[in-house]
Amino acid sequence: MWPITCVALGLLLWGATLSKVNIEQQFLEKNALKDAALLSAAYAQHLANAIDQADQITKLVKHQWEQSNRALRLEDSFQIGSFPDSRHLFVNLIDANGGTITRSLRNGRRDYIADRDYFIFHKTNNENVLFVGQPVTSRSTGKTVIHFSRRLEKPDGAFDGVVVVSVEPILFSSFHGGKQLGQAGLLAMIGKDRILRTSTTGGAAGKPAPAPFVSIPAFLGEQGAKLMAGTPWFTDSHARFVGWSAVDSHPFIAVVGLSKDELYAPHLQTWETYKTYAFFGSLFLIISALVGTFFSSRLALSTHRAEKIREEYGIATEGGNDGFYLWRALRDRNGTPIDFEILDCNERGARLYGFTRAQMLGRKISGFYDDASLVESLLKTHRHAMETGFYEDEYRVPPESPIKEEWLHRRLVRSNLGLAVTLRDISEAKAHERELLRLANEDELTGLPNRSWFVNFLPTAIERAKSGGTKLGILFIDLDNFKDINNTLGHSVGDELLREASLRLQSVLRPSDSAVRFGGDEFIIVLEDIAKETKATTVATRIIDTFNQPFELPSGRHVISASIGISLFPRDGEDVETLMKNADIAMYATKGAGKGHFRFFDPQLYIHMKHRLETEQALLRALELDQFALFYQPRVSAATGQLCGMEALVRWLHPERGLVPPLEFITLAENTGLILKLGEVVMAKACAQLAAWRSQGLPLVPVSINVSAKQFNQGNIKQLLESHLARHEVPPTLVEIEITESVMMGEHTEIIDQLAAIRGLGIKVLVDDFGTGYSSLSQLQRLDMDVLKVDRAFTAELGTKEGEILFRAIMSMAHALGMAVVAEGVETVEQLQMLQQLSCDEIQGYFISRPLPAVEMQVLMRKQFLFPSELHAAALGHLDSTS
Ligand code: C2E
Ligand code: CA
Ligand code: CA
């Protein structure tokens, strides 16, 4: 369009310019033709006058000649000035033979003129008419002249000569109107015989000058004007406006030519200016056309490119899984978007809505849904994206939507036209994700939710309870002795049991409660929305009860109890961590208190636990820093007081607390496993002490070492003893071990074997705290124990009749089984004396000595007999009764 428009404008410009020039030229031409005609008329008048003058002269001279009877002397006439402008005109009177009779020129030659055409004309023609000749060279002056002549006649009418007026052409060309001719203008006097008589140009200033006619044209009619252009007319190739007029009563035509060039000359500048304007206008148009074309073609190119890119993009997106939409916001008067309209979408996008692309265009969000709240929520999202420029989420498609995909990834981006929205079907990925989530949140074995589900769930449950103002109960359940079942019956039985246990747990729950397998044999139950603590009590009781029923499994009948710790929100904590910790503490407390029960959390438990933990840490450090030492308490013969053994009792030399008694840390060491390490330390120290005493030359007696049940589980007591004895080169007979009845409980053949092996080394085994446990006589017999250490509770009861009977029974039973008896905790002389009477073998207690450090023990070792001789059984007469 640019080039075409510019060319059209250019043509218009040039058309207007040229037509303006043309109009002006035509106007000039018309005027020029008029001027030429007028001038020619004036010139014709001028010529008529001049010819008339010349004719008057011929007539006058002829008349005078005839009146003077042929005696006229023209020379005189001129002197008296009877002829006008004699400079350019002279008169001759010629006789019938052609000789000059008289003439106005004084000093011209008298020529013979009989051959001149005028002479021949008048001689042969007897009419009295004026003859006008052609320009010829005068024979008397040598100048060009035109002859005007009349016939002279004798009275009888015979030819008598000619009067001839020779007129220089200048008389015809000196026309005042000639000033208008300009340089190339033209005056011409032409005979009707088409013979030029005289002419002049503007440049000749009135003097005769040859007319530039190529040939004399025929000027028809009385008067006329026309443009004679180009070389066919004029030799100087000027174009001229030529006007002509017939000279009145003479056979001549006055011709005036005005040069077109000269006529145009004053206007050429203006016309050039017009054309310059037109030229610059054209130039401007050309530049505009070029620039316009350049830019518009660039625009066209980029539009084309954009179109191409759009197409390519279209191809790419149609192939993909994404629906693309361009929404335009429809706004209310305040500019708030109240609805959105589809400007464009791809086919995939249309298909998501169940339409074709053409059907989608122009649809509004509000038109897709009947549900007003759904529309409002969608508009809210779209408005948000319009405001912030971007919105992205994963969107669960509501069932009312025309979109049938379950999950979409939505991405809304503000664009120039509105909102560019991408929807991607992520239903499959979501399903996969859900499956993964299920796998991640579900315990494979029991199908219960697992720990990772729980850590996400509990905070939300707490939130719900918080906002609802309700309580929450957390039951921490641990199966008792499950490890034993796993270890003894195998993991598959363990798994079976866990599955069954989880079913039982679920059976006692309400739908609003959740059971979780927390790991191993630990379960958690969350009771939501409980009004009172009693609800938790009810559930816990039901769980304990259901676990009291034996498990009937393919592998057999199993009895397993559960210990439960309970924490309550908000009473025992308001966050996940505290609630869990407290439920755990409560559960441990339950375990500590004998298992198979439940217990609510109580801050006291926490303090206890904390103390325990701290002690445990401290114990560990104490072991590293070797803060343990052994005290020794002598065991003496009840009859003589002679030292016959000593018990090694561990003490913790605490840098701040001083001497810490074993009752404060042994149980803890047992529960944490530190007892293994500690037990070994005791063995090492006892052996080392024996070796030291031996090197000091002291009389050695056996040292008994307390070994707890936990140490037997490890199975290497014998090896440890052996290696420590060997290291210090102490004979096994100098070491004894004390075990409580609980060690021998059950049918643990391993422990029985270990005891036998230890005894095999020559090490005596003493039954400690006898009477507090449930050991049967048959067991004691079978295990072939060496010594019974009767618990000091029995010693303390010796003052009563029942105590004495009981002690006597123990004594007789032990002696019957071949075991010696040691009475522990002997504090008084009365007790000693009674024991002597009961024939107790040995005694130990504060009455003899408190446990002492090794250096003090040395004194007693040297002393040998540790009570005065008057207390000897023999001295008191007790010997008889026993022997
Ligand atoms: P146990 O084996 O029954 O040790 C005797 C405890 O009775 C000792 O307490 C001792 O000081 C105390 N005792 C001795 N004579 C009397 C008395 O006349 N009257 C009273 N009231 N008490 C008396 P200790 O030393 O505090 O030890 C307590 C328990 O710690 C021990 O009881 C023993 O079971 C354990 N124990 C001590 N040392 C060790 C050890 O090295 N290894 C292990 N596994 N246990 C140890
Ligand atoms: Ca003991
Ligand atoms: Ca004891």
Side-chain angles (χ1 to χ4, degrees), residues 184 194 218 298 445 862:
R194 284 179 77 178
R298 254 183 43 157
L445 180 68
R862 286 221 175 74

Side-chain angles (χ1 to χ4, degrees), residues 77 93 97-98 108 114 245 262 316 368-369 408 443 475 572 607 632 651 697 700 703 734 866:
S77 312
L93 270 175
N97 297 320
S245 293
E262 285 181 355
F368 282 118
Y369 311 92
L408 291 174
D443 173 53
L475 277 62
D572 302 329
I607 293 164
Y632 299 89
R651 296 289 179 269
L700 296 179
V703 173
L734 279 181
L866 301 187

Side-chain angles (χ1 to χ4, degrees), residues 647 706 738 768 789 824:
E647 181 176 2
N706 292 282
E738 298 189 9
D768 201 359
K789 290 186 81 172
E824 291 187 299

Side-chain angles (χ1 to χ4, degrees), residues 43 169 173 186-189 196-201 206-212:
Y43 187 42
S173 52
L186 177 70
L187 284 179
M189 180 179 143
L196 177 75
R197 291 310 193 283
T198 180
S199 68
T200 184
T201 64
K207 289 195 190 82

Side-chain angles (χ1 to χ4, degrees), residues 126 153 182 290 343 408 427 511 523 589 709 715 721 731 759 768 771 815 824:
N126 58 2
E153 287 177 344
L290 287 176
L343 278 182
L408 291 174
S427 310
F523 296 87
L721 285 168
R759 291 191 75 240
D768 201 359
H815 285 154
E824 291 187 299

Side-chain angles (χ1 to χ4, degrees), residues 466-775:
K466 232 180 227 170
S467 54
T470 57
K471 288 191 171 75
L472 202 68
I474 293 171
L475 277 62
F476 199 111
I477 304 167
D478 190 288
L479 303 187
D480 298 323
N481 307 324
F482 176 75
K483 214 176 273 162
D484 292 347
I485 290 193
N486 235 356
N487 288 343
T488 54
L489 301 173
H491 286 269
S492 60
V493 176
D495 287 353
E496 243 179 298
L497 198 67
L498 285 172
R499 264 197 295 272
E500 194 58 36
S502 79
L503 286 177
R504 285 197 186 179
L505 282 178
Q506 280 169 293
S507 72
V508 303
L509 296 183
R510 304 169 304 166
S512 62
D513 304 331
S514 325
V516 180
R517 182 171 176 214
F518 200 61
D521 59 346
E522 291 172 342
F523 296 87
I524 285 175
I525 282 168
V526 182
L527 305 175
E528 284 199 71
D529 195 11
I530 53 173
K532 282 188 203 141
E533 205 177 302
T534 48
K535 176 70 203 169
T537 313
T538 316
V539 175
T541 314
R542 283 217 296 258
I543 294 170
I544 299 295
D545 288 348
T546 182
F547 274 78
N548 279 341
Q549 311 297 313
F551 287 86
E552 305 286 355
L553 299 180
S555 55
R557 219 177 124 103
H558 305 281
V559 180
I560 192 156
S561 62
S563 295
I564 305 175
I566 305 170
S567 67
L568 291 173
F569 169 88
R571 194 191 70 187
D572 302 329
E574 300 203 353
D575 58 278
V576 174
E577 210 178 314
T578 318
L579 284 169
M580 283 305 293
K581 190 187 71 189
N582 291 344
D584 194 28
I585 289 170
M587 195 276 287
Y588 268 97
T590 310
K591 289 247 178 200
K595 305 179 177 174
H597 292 284
F598 70 87
R599 190 179 255 236
F600 281 91
F601 172 76
D602 163 355
Q604 213 46 49
L605 292 178
Y606 174 68
I607 293 164
H608 196 79
M609 184 93 155
K610 200 172 157 218
H611 176 75
R612 223 185 70 139
L613 272 172
E614 281 164 4
T615 317
E616 186 186 334
Q617 290 296 315
L619 262 182
L620 197 64
R621 239 190 351 268
L623 273 170
E624 282 163 7
L625 299 174
D626 191 23
Q627 290 178 344
F628 293 98
L630 293 185
F631 272 38
Y632 299 89
Q633 188 176 32
R635 215 170 67 220
V636 298
S637 150
T640 62
Q642 186 184 8
L643 185 69
C644 51
M646 61 178 97
E647 181 176 2
L649 292 161
V650 72
R651 296 289 179 269
W652 181 0
L653 307 177
H654 197 282
E656 286 137 37
R657 287 159 68 186
L659 215 62
V660 182
L663 286 176
E664 286 181 31
F665 59 87
I666 288 296
T667 318
L668 184 65
E670 282 175 344
N671 290 340
T672 57
L674 284 174
I675 193 68
L676 300 176
K677 192 90 187 34
L678 182 62
E680 206 184 328
V681 167
V682 170
M683 276 181 213
K685 285 189 185 293
C687 293
Q689 189 59 60
L690 278 167
W693 279 328
R694 184 182 55 201
S695 66
Q696 288 168 34
L698 289 165
L700 296 179
V701 288
V703 173
S704 66
I705 297 169
N706 292 282
V707 177
S708 68
K710 286 267 153 59
Q711 290 174 267
F712 275 91
N713 291 337
Q714 196 72 4
N716 63 346
I717 300 276
K718 182 206 158 207
Q719 286 79 1
L720 285 174
L721 285 168
E722 249 185 325
S723 75
H724 287 293
L725 289 170
R727 182 177 309 161
H728 298 285
E729 294 174 352
V730 175
T733 47
L734 279 181
V735 167
E736 299 166 342
I737 63 165
E738 298 189 9
I739 58 168
T740 57
E741 290 169 277
S742 63
V743 176
M744 309 174 296
M745 292 259 284
E747 301 290 321
H748 301 323
T749 47
E750 290 167 56
I751 291 173
I752 294 163
D753 291 347
Q754 281 186 57
L755 286 173
I758 290 166
R759 291 191 75 240
L761 292 175
I763 295 174
K764 277 189 183 168
V765 178
L766 284 63
V767 179
D768 201 359
D769 299 344
F770 181 78
T772 57
Y774 305 93
S775 52

